[in-house]
Amino acid sequence: MTDSKYFTTTKKGEIFELKAELNSDKKEKKKEAVKKVIASMTVGKDVSALFPDVVNCMQTDNLELKKLVYLYLMNYAKSQPDMAIMAVNTFVKDCEDPNPLIRALAVRTMGCIRVDKITEYLCEPLRKCLKDEDPYVRKTAAVCVAKLHDINAQLVEDQGFLDTLKDLISDSNPMVVANAVAALSEIAESHPSSNLLDLNPQSINKLLTALNECTEWGQIFILDCLANYTPKDDREAQSICERVTPRLSHANSAVVLSAVKVLMKFMEMLSKDLDYYSTLLKKLAPPLVTLLSAEPELQYVALRNINLIVQKRPEILKHEMKVFFVKYNDPIYVKLEKLDIMIRLASQANIAQVLAELKEYATEVDVDFVRKAVRAIGRCAIKVEQSAERCVSTLLDLIQTKVNYVVQEAIVVIKDIFRKYPNKYESVIATLCENLDSLDEPEARAAMIWIVGEYAERIDNADELLESFLEGFHDESTQVQLQLLTAIVKLFLKKPTETQELVQQVLSLATQDSDNPDLRDRGYIYWRLLSTDPVAAKEVVLAEKPLISEETDLIEPTLLDELICYIGTLASVYHKPPSAFVEGGRGIVHKSLPPRTASSESTESPETAPAGAPPGEQPDVIPAQGDLLGDLLNLDLGPPVSGPPLATSSVQMGAVDLLGSGLDSLMGDEPEGIGAPNFVAPPAAAVPANLGATVGSGLSDLFDLTSGVGTLSGSYVAPKTVWLPAMKAKGLEISGTFTRQVGSISMDLQLTNKALQVMTDFAIQFNRNSFGLAPAAPLQVHAPLSPNQTVESSLPLNTVGSVMKMEPLNNLQVAVKNNIDVFYFSTLYPLHILFVEDGKMDRQMFLATWKDIPNENEAQFQIRDCPLNAEAVSSRLQSSNIFTVAKRNVEGQDMLYQSLKLTNGIWVLAELRIQPGNPSLTLSLKCRAPEVSQHVYQAYETILEN
């Protein structure tokens, strides 16, 4: 019979019986008893009461029994530290056992017992094991040092274990070397300043010798360690590369990627003229191609890494285009990644092949994939100039298909093609205008408006087209509103006589009727420019645009160099440095590629630096449109500098000194300009009160929060409502509500028996739901429920259950069982029970996150009949874990900037606008998961109205 029998026991009071069996004289019975204890422990029963009895079983020669006892010890030593000391003598004895397996087992368990009291007793046995004659014991002891260092770093250093570990790098056994390297690397990561892995050519030689005989994981540890070494010259780099190259043909993909990482790093030091350099490039391609024949998940990881490699050295895979062609059965995430790499590898030699393939993809059924394929055609046109004409005709063919999303994507990419090749393909504008009515996505509408504004002089009815967009101005997304404002101003500058009314209308909409500060500010600046100096306006608005580069989505060079050093890790999949996603960032070192040696610098290829750029200068990265919060964050947040302004400031600012005299000069006080006689200056009342403040004060007013807003008093609890009427549940009526108190969620139930028989054996179960809500304990109904009796019960909940998106999002399906039957009902839980206590975001982080979340994710709501002032609102919301990050007053309105965090880690940012004397509040919500916004609004409404 298998060991499964130990998990199927039905006895109730087995602790006493197990105690007796553990103290039995028969070895077999003892072993059975320990197996039962381990089985109980595995399924979550508390068997810590048996600690002394289990520890007594340690005195045995039976390896299986010893393993089981050690397993028990590791689990319960932390909760029973005083008793765990009883086991120390056995450890010491086991570390001198003639059987090396027992010695290794003892030292491994010692490392897993994280109890400070015991740690010092373990130093002597560990020292002996590090010098043990058996390599199996030494390799286990090496890892134990890293574990001990995590518990008590000072002790490890005082006992000299680190020096012993360094000596193990020279061990004769490759597995011991690998574990010593792994342990030292682990310790070095948590203490970046310590120079533990002091690598030199001698130790590198030892590591390379061990590399050939290690297990695959040992090889990965050694290769990762080699990647952190900087060779002294190109000759040493070449020598290491030659010895690492055979790892490229390993069966384990992790070993292959670790080897690729070492080679990519050391290639930096090799001269491109060397024969060996070109040989190495040829050797790197086949292993990367082989990775693409694995299962989809591995393919995806390989593709993300290849994406980095292709950006750094496209020549490695330039002849392998065909392996990146999409297969019909590839999952979407693999398809999109392959598409990205195809564009990166596109060149004049293979463009015909790539375009034929992309045109095929554009007729697929998968919408996301088709969109990306259409975009890819546009990127090809921008990247390979000779193919631009063919790409444009392909895009026009696709527009003729009249498939809505294809047309929209095509228009977005044609806009970029116009910017790359001005005055070349404008003949297609007529075709684009025919499809104006079918555009419903913000990006496509914005692109079309840009085209109409930019080429207004070539489009006869440009004013009519833009006016059609203006009709629903307030319903458009911010991106479209901003683009429409600029396009109409361009149109006015090109055809001033015909479009004066239109421009007055859009400026009025942008400045007086809009709540968006970006739109309002742009509107005021245009208004002021047009009313004071139309010539300057023309120079600013109709200025020559810089040509866009072919690869706008390339990773910034210094970040790319850092990511190359992390090939084969999570950073290479996220395309972000570890500091961006590792909690706390403890021990994260910023890595970079080694500098090129003198011999390789002289042969630097011309293609690596842009023509005409001074040597050593990086090209500027143009910020994305809508990066306005980024500009805010770049303001000097210090106090304004007193004293006269520097004489050079006005020269640097150019003709328009916006910041020198504050923005108030934009808003009134200056004589009306000549050249726009009918142009009305913006009304003073429409100017935000804080716009006159000097920009030197930065965002300080945004953050002058009154200290200590609100006190914690538990979140709002709704009154109980009937969830399951008696007529639907054979006489059982269930009412209830949800509460959150000090981080704990519970479901407060009221069970009423309206039947004629007694109800017993209650149990409850939840179906999978959007936030993983599940009972944290059984439903407690202690006594039988007699007829006409009512009982209250509070069921603690957690959020670690299975997750499945429900409709609506906060729907919870519940099954309740008793001795009569099983009954089902569903209820909606208020979302504020999921708002966690650590949901207050740091101010700078709030700004950065608000900027980072796309504008289309913003939702606006009205909360009516709320007579509270800002202090009371802030206090009431804070008691339900909605935290005020910042507060300011604009034009007499109080603006509260708030953050909250859901149990699944989703952040929601809010702007709450309160007009004193007006019971209606305006709530703007931004979140990466916009589907929660409606429910967060309902939570706000519920909390503020009750």
Side-chain angles (χ1 to χ4, degrees):
M1 192 176 173
T2 62
D3 285 349
S4 61
K5 64 182 178 186
Y6 300 112
F7 291 87
T8 53
T9 173
T10 51
K11 293 179 192 166
K12 294 281 184 220
E14 72 236 275
I15 295 281
F16 182 74
E17 292 173 25
L18 286 171
K19 203 178 182 79
E21 286 178 26
L22 286 168
N23 293 316
S24 161
D25 298 333
K26 293 179 182 167
K27 280 186 181 175
E28 215 34 62
K29 206 164 190 185
K30 225 179 213 180
K31 192 159 104 183
E32 291 289 304
V34 174
K35 281 188 177 179
K36 285 179 191 168
V37 171
I38 298 295
S40 301
M41 180 181 89
T42 309
V43 295
K45 289 183 186 167
D46 183 11
V47 282
S48 55
L50 298 169
F51 202 97
D53 307 286
V54 176
V55 170
N56 284 339
C57 300
M58 277 172 82
Q59 314 290 344
T60 174
D61 300 332
N62 185 319
L63 189 59
E64 188 184 5
L65 180 54
K66 209 176 257 302
K67 273 186 183 172
L68 291 167
V69 174
Y70 278 171
L71 202 61
Y72 178 89
L73 248 179
M74 283 188 254
N75 201 29
Y76 284 115
K78 201 168 178 101
S79 58
Q80 309 255 359
D82 299 331
M83 291 211 174
I85 291 181
M86 293 162 47
V88 168
N89 285 336
T90 316
F91 279 135
V92 176
K93 225 161 83 186
D94 280 358
C95 283
E96 292 173 2
D97 194 278
N99 183 345
L101 290 175
I102 288 181
R103 296 203 296 276
L105 184 63
V107 79
R108 177 183 293 134
T109 311
M110 276 160 38
C112 294
I113 294 179
R114 304 178 66 82
V115 177
D116 288 337
K117 285 183 183 176
I118 298 180
T119 312
E120 53 209 55
Y121 294 108
L122 307 180
C123 292
E124 219 35 62
L126 180 57
R127 187 175 285 104
K128 284 180 185 165
C129 289
L130 280 166
K131 302 245 168 65
D132 199 282
E133 63 199 22
D134 193 286
Y136 182 74
V137 180
R138 292 200 301 277
K139 87 173 179 72
T140 309
V143 176
C144 187
V145 174
K147 288 181 177 173
L148 194 58
H149 189 275
D150 196 34
I151 301 165
N152 188 339
Q154 196 54 50
L155 180 73
V156 171
E157 284 161 32
D158 296 346
Q159 294 284 341
F161 287 148
L162 294 180
D163 296 326
T164 319
L165 259 189
K166 287 179 189 171
D167 294 342
L168 287 182
I169 288 184
S170 310
D171 198 278
S172 57
N173 185 289
M175 267 323 294
V176 178
V177 177
N179 278 19
V181 167
L184 282 169
S185 303
E186 180 81 19
I187 295 169
E189 266 183 28
S190 57
H191 292 68
S193 52
S194 62
N195 191 15
L196 286 177
L197 274 163
D198 185 16
L199 297 171
N200 52 45
Q202 291 73 37
S203 55
I204 289 290
N205 195 29
K206 287 169 185 161
L207 292 182
L208 287 165
T209 309
L211 187 62
N212 298 323
E213 301 165 42
C214 280
T215 64
E216 47 199 30
W217 292 111
Q219 290 181 31
I220 293 164
F221 289 134
I222 291 175
L223 287 166
D224 287 350
C225 176
L226 286 172
N228 293 330
Y229 174 64
T230 305
K232 62 179 188 296
D233 56 25
D234 53 350
R235 194 172 289 118
E236 189 187 358
Q238 182 175 338
S239 157
I240 294 173
C241 288
E242 283 169 353
R243 295 177 69 178
V244 167
T245 311
R247 300 298 111 217
L248 292 173
S249 52
H250 200 285
N252 184 324
S253 48
V255 176
V256 174
L257 282 177
S258 291
V260 168
K261 171 167 60 182
V262 176
L263 296 172
M264 285 293 290
K265 200 169 172 185
F266 290 176
M267 277 169 83
E268 281 295 297
M269 300 185 68
L270 302 179
S271 161
K272 293 193 172 183
D273 289 351
L274 283 176
D275 289 343
Y276 180 70
Y277 182 86
S278 48
T279 311
L280 199 50
L281 286 179
K282 286 180 191 144
K283 283 186 176 171
L284 274 168
L288 293 173
V289 170
T290 307
L291 290 175
L292 298 183
S293 53
E295 51 267 37
E297 293 78 9
L298 281 180
Q299 269 187 61
Y300 179 71
V301 173
L303 287 164
R304 291 293 281 175
N305 280 278
I306 288 169
N307 202 326
L308 294 175
I309 293 163
V310 164
Q311 285 184 56
K312 184 70 188 167
R313 299 196 185 281
E315 61 271 30
I316 293 177
L317 288 160
K318 65 180 178 190
H319 299 304
E320 304 291 345
M321 176 64 87
K322 280 196 169 165
V323 298
F324 299 107
F325 285 175
V326 171
K327 299 192 181 84
Y328 75 95
N329 57 352
D330 280 339
I332 182 70
Y333 53 90
V334 171
K335 284 180 175 175
L336 296 179
E337 207 55 43
K338 281 184 172 179
L339 207 50
D340 212 27
I341 295 168
M342 277 168 67
I343 308 303
R344 298 209 192 287
L345 291 176
S347 65
Q348 205 178 331
N350 56 25
I351 193 72
Q353 209 180 4
V354 172
L355 272 181
E357 193 74 12
L358 290 175
K359 194 170 180 185
E360 196 67 37
Y361 299 162
T363 58
E364 288 266 349
V365 288
D366 191 318
V367 177
D368 286 340
F369 182 51
V370 172
R371 285 175 182 277
K372 189 99 178 205
V374 176
R375 289 231 168 169
I377 295 171
R379 278 173 63 190
C380 282
I382 291 166
K383 187 172 182 192
V384 185
E385 190 167 345
Q386 294 78 1
S387 73
E389 200 152 329
R390 191 184 297 173
C391 291
V392 170
S393 65
T394 305
L395 288 168
L396 288 175
D397 290 348
L398 291 171
I399 287 175
Q400 297 310 330
T401 62
K402 301 288 182 194
V403 177
N404 189 306
Y405 53 89
V406 175
V407 172
Q408 309 211 51
E409 286 298 330
I411 286 174
V412 172
V413 296
I414 286 175
K415 180 198 86 169
D416 289 340
I417 294 172
F418 283 170
R419 281 202 54 191
K420 176 72 175 172
Y421 309 111
N423 305 320
K424 212 168 175 190
Y425 299 109
E426 281 76 11
S427 54
V428 306
I429 291 176
T431 316
L432 302 185
C433 292
E434 288 167 15
N435 293 281
L436 208 63
D437 300 336
S438 64
L439 307 181
D440 52 20
E441 289 168 18
E443 200 179 357
R445 288 173 79 83
M448 193 64 223
I449 291 167
W450 182 88
I451 291 169
V452 173
E454 189 65 18
Y455 300 103
E457 68 279 13
R458 300 178 187 215
I459 303 171
D460 299 333
N461 60 340
D463 50 344
E464 289 170 26
L465 295 177
L466 291 176
E467 201 168 354
S468 68
F469 282 107
L470 207 55
E471 286 160 10
F473 186 78
H474 288 305
D475 302 328
E476 299 285 5
S477 71
T478 308
Q479 182 185 5
V480 177
Q481 289 177 334
L482 286 165
Q483 199 60 264
L484 192 52
L485 172 60
T486 304
I488 290 178
V489 171
K490 283 180 186 172
L491 177 65
F492 171 73
L493 291 168
K494 290 173 181 178
K495 302 179 179 178
T497 48
E498 304 153 40
T499 54
Q500 194 158 332
E501 264 182 51
L502 189 61
V503 79
Q504 284 272 345
Q505 192 184 347
V506 76
L507 286 172
S508 162
L509 284 168
T511 53
Q512 291 166 41
D513 304 350
S514 170
D515 298 329
N516 186 308
D518 298 345
L519 185 62
R520 223 170 30 214
D521 292 354
R522 192 183 285 194
Y524 280 125
I525 291 203
Y526 283 156
W527 197 319
R528 194 63 189 163
L529 265 174
L530 292 168
S531 58
T532 53
D533 190 350
V535 179
K538 214 160 193 169
E539 284 173 10
V540 172
V541 180
L542 300 179
E544 192 77 12
K545 290 174 187 53
L547 293 183
I548 55 174
S549 70
E550 71 252 23
E551 291 285 359
T552 47
D553 59 343
L554 280 177
I555 293 174
E556 193 264 326
T558 49
L559 174 59
L560 179 61
D561 286 355
E562 187 178 352
L563 292 177
I564 292 289
C565 301
Y566 286 110
I567 282 177
T569 67
L570 260 184
S572 69
V573 178
Y574 287 154
H575 287 188
K576 289 179 182 175
S579 53
F581 60 86
V582 175
E583 280 281 303
R586 181 178 75 109
I588 288 174
V589 189
H590 283 286
K591 299 183 181 181
S592 62
L593 294 177
R596 289 189 165 276
T597 54
S599 61
S600 61
E601 270 172 18
S602 59
T603 57
E604 177 69 281
S605 71
E607 64 201 28
T608 55
E617 262 190 32
Q618 289 293 349
D620 282 349
V621 178
I622 300 171
Q625 179 193 5
D627 202 4
L628 293 157
L629 268 166
D631 301 341
L632 282 178
L633 283 172
N634 293 334
L635 282 180
D636 178 11
L637 291 183
V641 181
S642 57
L646 294 175
T648 55
S649 65
S650 59
V651 181
Q652 289 166 344
M653 283 302 297
V656 188
D657 177 15
L658 289 182
L659 305 187
S661 57
L663 292 180
D664 46 359
S665 64
L666 284 176
M667 294 306 150
D669 308 344
E670 281 186 23
E672 197 164 293
I674 299 153
N678 302 333
F679 225 94
V680 191
V687 180
N690 64 332
L691 223 62
T694 54
V695 179
S697 64
L699 301 179
S700 55
D701 63 330
L702 180 56
F703 295 135
D704 75 358
L705 264 184
T706 47
S707 54
V709 182
T711 53
L712 194 65
S713 58
S715 66
Y716 164 72
V717 181
K720 288 194 178 82
T721 52
V722 175
W723 286 342
L724 182 67
M727 59 187 290
K728 286 191 177 176
K730 301 184 180 174
L732 172 65
E733 182 178 280
I734 299 179
S735 307
T737 186
F738 294 89
T739 63
R740 183 184 186 95
Q741 294 290 335
V742 201
S744 303
I745 308 171
S746 51
M747 181 192 246
D748 293 347
L749 297 166
Q750 181 178 302
L751 309 175
T752 305
N753 183 355
K754 294 189 175 178
L756 299 174
Q757 65 187 102
V758 174
M759 294 182 181
T760 57
D761 303 334
F762 283 92
I764 194 165
Q765 200 169 355
F766 293 176
N767 195 2
R768 291 188 295 172
N769 53 79
S770 306
F771 292 90
L773 276 176
L779 177 60
Q780 302 288 341
V781 181
H782 295 295
L785 193 59
S786 308
N788 294 321
Q789 187 188 355
T790 297
V791 66
E792 305 265 347
S793 177
S794 185
L795 177 71
L797 307 181
N798 60 33
T799 53
V800 296
S802 298
V803 175
M804 179 174 76
K805 189 173 175 186
M806 302 296 286
E807 194 54 55
L809 207 60
N810 57 339
N811 188 12
L812 181 66
Q813 296 175 339
V814 184
V816 173
K817 170 185 154 303
N818 62 13
N819 58 328
I820 298 172
D821 205 346
V822 180
F823 309 107
Y824 302 93
F825 65 90
S826 68
T827 179
L828 301 177
Y829 49 89
L831 212 65
H832 67 262
I833 63 166
L834 304 173
F835 299 171
V836 296
E837 282 64 23
D838 64 343
K840 185 162 184 176
M841 194 178 263
D842 166 69
R843 296 164 179 186
Q844 293 287 17
M845 177 63 88
F846 182 94
L847 270 176
T849 311
W850 186 279
K851 165 199 135 186
D852 205 31
I853 297 172
N855 286 334
E856 49 265 32
N857 285 21
E858 186 172 349
Q860 206 169 67
F861 305 96
Q862 290 293 324
I863 298 172
R864 307 197 186 284
D865 305 326
C866 178
L868 303 173
N869 65 13
E871 292 296 322
V873 166
S874 185
S875 171
R876 186 173 289 190
L877 291 171
Q878 180 151 333
S879 64
S880 291
N881 297 334
I882 299 173
F883 299 95
T884 302
V885 177
K887 174 185 165 191
R888 66 172 176 167
N889 188 285
V890 180
E891 297 178 358
Q893 297 185 46
D894 286 319
M895 311 283 273
L896 297 181
Y897 297 90
Q898 300 179 316
S899 70
L900 61 96
K901 185 175 156 193
L902 296 169
T903 48
N904 59 0
I906 290 177
W907 284 93
V908 181
L909 309 187
E911 179 192 76
L912 192 58
R913 190 175 303 120
I914 303 164
Q915 177 90 45
N918 182 351
S920 283
L921 315 183
T922 305
L923 174 69
S924 297
L925 295 174
K926 255 193 169 191
C927 175
R928 291 190 197 286
E931 56 267 32
V932 305
S933 297
Q934 178 66 33
H935 302 282
V936 172
Y937 153 65
Q938 287 165 2
Y940 262 86
E941 206 171 37
T942 308
I943 295 162
L944 292 174
E945 286 179 3
N946 295 286

